Amino acid sequence: MARSKDDYKLDRSGSLIGFIGLHIACFGAFWTGVPAEAVVLAVVLYVVRVFGITAGFHRYFSHRTYKTSRVFQFILALLGQMSLQRGVIWWSAKHREHHRDSDTEADAHSPLQHGFFFAHMGWVFSTKLSEADYDKVPDLTAYPELVWLDKHKYLPGVALGFLCWLTMGWAGLVVGFCWSTVAVYHATFAINSLAHVFGKARYLTGDESKNSAILAFFALGEGWHNNHHYCMASTRQGFKWWEFDITYMILRVLAVFGIVWDIKEPPAHMVQGERKLSDHLLDRLGQMVAMRFPVEDILQRVRERLSSSDEDADVTSVVQEALPSPDEIHSTAARFLAQTEELKDVVVRAHRHLAEAVSQQLQPQDEMAKAA
């Protein structure tokens, strides 16, 4: 599905103005000062609201990886919406779309498809790509209180900002609220963008998700993104003992008190990487690897060889000779994908996709030559 220029047009609504305004407001600290209590407030609000996103919006509402009561469900939604990242139902619907279409053209925040800036935050303000299909989340729209919260998407965050101002004055609003809100924004957005660019992949997942200890630290465990894309049903995202996942640890403590339950662990065979990718996902990876090679350059080599040939050359053979070798393709794929046995299949598919792309673009030239 090819994207149009309209998909990249940013909405000029209050959402975008408010987003920019919050960033500018952070510089108000030159006027308010940076008192220690405001910094402590910022740190507390950062951790609480990131937890609202990671444990609530992501692991509970988007993936249903554990269970809780209706009351605590509402609290999680409230905490998440205090981050000013729109409504709980909208967020979850968009995230489920991301996993369905990860790193394809249909993925609203894929750096591979749309560039880093747009994947990081531009998509949120796209007039088209930010639209969510609420028909895909009937398990959430069944709760009137969640629908009400989602409808009043900015109310919890605005109320929190007002409370910060009321209790700590302008420093509480600027440093405590605005600083922490902007930090939560970019910690969350970095999982959409940076976690598909930097880090290391342990598993083949059908996309370019990666693990990053740095992102895991700032996003309370979400940085083990390749693990998550490999086993989305798991509450725990840090699969190894050394993969620090603070969100999972907090949920484990809450489980002791019966606040949450049925926390899902990754199955042992999946931790060992024994889950095989479907033919569809292997083919998707082959297309992604093929995108790393400039088809125009290969076409140029093919045309030069065909034009320099005295006799009628076999086009298929010339195309095959001009393509990068399997070793070259494997070397490129290994730089951003996990090096598993299935990677060999991905390389074969990437080679085939490149051959098809070159042949398709040669066809119009061949038809013109015959007509002449």
Side-chain angles (χ1 to χ4, degrees):
M1 180 177 62
R3 289 295 182 193
S4 68
K5 291 182 179 179
D6 288 341
D7 292 328
Y8 298 99
K9 287 183 178 178
L10 299 185
D11 186 7
R12 299 297 191 269
S13 69
S15 296
L16 179 58
I17 295 171
F19 180 80
I20 295 172
L22 270 170
H23 284 72
I24 295 173
C26 290
F27 293 98
F30 287 108
W31 169 56
T32 66
V34 187
E37 59 269 23
V39 174
V40 171
L41 176 63
V43 172
V44 170
L45 291 182
Y46 175 85
V47 173
V48 168
R49 289 189 289 171
V50 170
F51 180 78
I53 295 291
T54 62
F57 278 16
H58 189 206
R59 306 191 198 193
Y60 179 73
F61 291 108
S62 296
H63 293 291
R64 296 302 204 179
T65 67
Y66 62 92
K67 295 178 181 178
T68 189
S69 66
R70 191 163 177 173
V71 172
F72 195 67
Q73 172 182 272
F74 181 80
I75 292 172
L76 286 170
L78 188 67
L79 290 177
Q81 284 194 212
M82 284 180 181
S83 66
L84 293 175
Q85 292 188 25
R86 300 198 182 183
V88 57
I89 300 178
W90 174 88
W91 201 103
S92 303
K94 293 304 297 181
H95 189 74
R96 292 181 188 182
E97 289 176 14
H98 163 64
H99 276 275
R100 182 192 65 200
D101 305 318
S102 186
D103 279 332
T104 67
E105 287 184 342
D107 185 359
H109 48 75
S110 168
L112 173 68
Q113 299 290 343
H114 308 298
F116 181 84
F117 172 81
F118 194 84
H120 187 69
M121 57 186 178
W123 72 275
V124 180
F125 307 104
S126 164
T127 53
K128 288 189 176 181
L129 296 183
S130 63
E131 295 177 356
D133 186 356
Y134 280 45
D135 291 335
K136 301 296 184 182
V137 284
D139 55 314
L140 303 182
T141 56
Y143 294 97
E145 65 273 22
L146 296 183
V147 173
W148 182 88
L149 259 185
D150 189 80
K151 182 178 179 181
H152 300 87
K153 52 190 176 184
Y154 298 126
L155 181 59
V158 171
L160 177 62
F162 178 74
L163 186 61
C164 290
W165 173 79
L166 198 63
T167 56
M168 287 194 183
W170 290 107
L173 178 62
V174 172
V175 177
F177 178 76
C178 293
W179 281 20
S180 62
T181 301
V182 169
V184 172
Y185 277 151
H186 294 290
T188 306
F189 296 166
I191 304 303
N192 298 336
S193 55
L194 286 173
H196 283 254
V197 177
F198 299 110
K200 187 173 178 60
R202 175 182 292 136
Y203 308 108
L204 280 183
T205 57
D207 54 38
E208 296 192 20
S209 58
K210 295 173 175 60
N211 289 334
S212 168
I214 295 174
L215 292 179
F217 175 79
F218 287 105
L220 304 188
E222 298 290 296
W224 309 117
H225 200 53
N226 180 248
N227 294 351
H228 169 60
H229 272 251
Y230 188 69
C231 186
M232 293 171 279
S234 172
T235 309
R236 182 177 181 176
Q237 294 186 11
F239 289 179
K240 304 295 184 178
W241 66 265
W242 47 266
E243 291 178 338
F244 192 68
D245 186 351
I246 188 63
T247 296
Y248 169 78
M249 294 176 183
I250 294 172
L251 287 171
R252 273 293 170 196
V253 172
L254 293 175
V256 172
F257 295 97
I259 298 173
V260 303
W261 56 90
D262 287 352
I263 291 177
K264 294 184 175 65
E265 298 285 343
H269 75 278
M270 295 193 72
V271 174
Q272 296 302 318
E274 296 175 1
R275 192 201 82 181
K276 300 301 180 183
L277 285 189
S278 67
D279 188 71
H280 167 70
L281 290 180
L282 287 170
D283 203 57
R284 178 192 290 184
L285 284 176
Q287 292 175 330
M288 290 178 187
V289 174
M291 287 176 63
R292 301 281 174 152
F293 295 89
V295 173
E296 285 301 322
D297 289 353
I298 300 172
L299 272 170
Q300 183 62 30
R301 291 199 296 270
V302 170
R303 287 166 179 158
E304 288 174 356
R305 293 180 189 181
L306 288 175
S307 63
S308 65
S309 177
D310 296 330
E311 301 177 358
D312 290 337
D314 179 56
V315 176
T316 302
S317 297
V318 173
V319 169
Q320 289 297 323
E321 291 173 3
L323 290 174
S325 69
D327 285 344
E328 289 178 287
I329 297 175
H330 187 279
S331 178
T332 297
R335 286 199 291 268
F336 65 96
L337 295 176
Q339 299 188 49
T340 69
E341 282 297 314
E342 290 176 297
L343 191 60
K344 297 175 183 177
D345 192 357
V346 172
V347 169
V348 171
R349 292 166 187 262
H351 192 275
R352 186 181 71 240
H353 283 300
L354 280 170
E356 291 173 352
V358 172
S359 298
Q360 287 173 2
Q361 293 195 44
L362 278 174
Q363 286 177 0
Q365 184 186 46
D366 294 340
E367 292 172 0
M368 289 175 63
K370 291 177 181 178

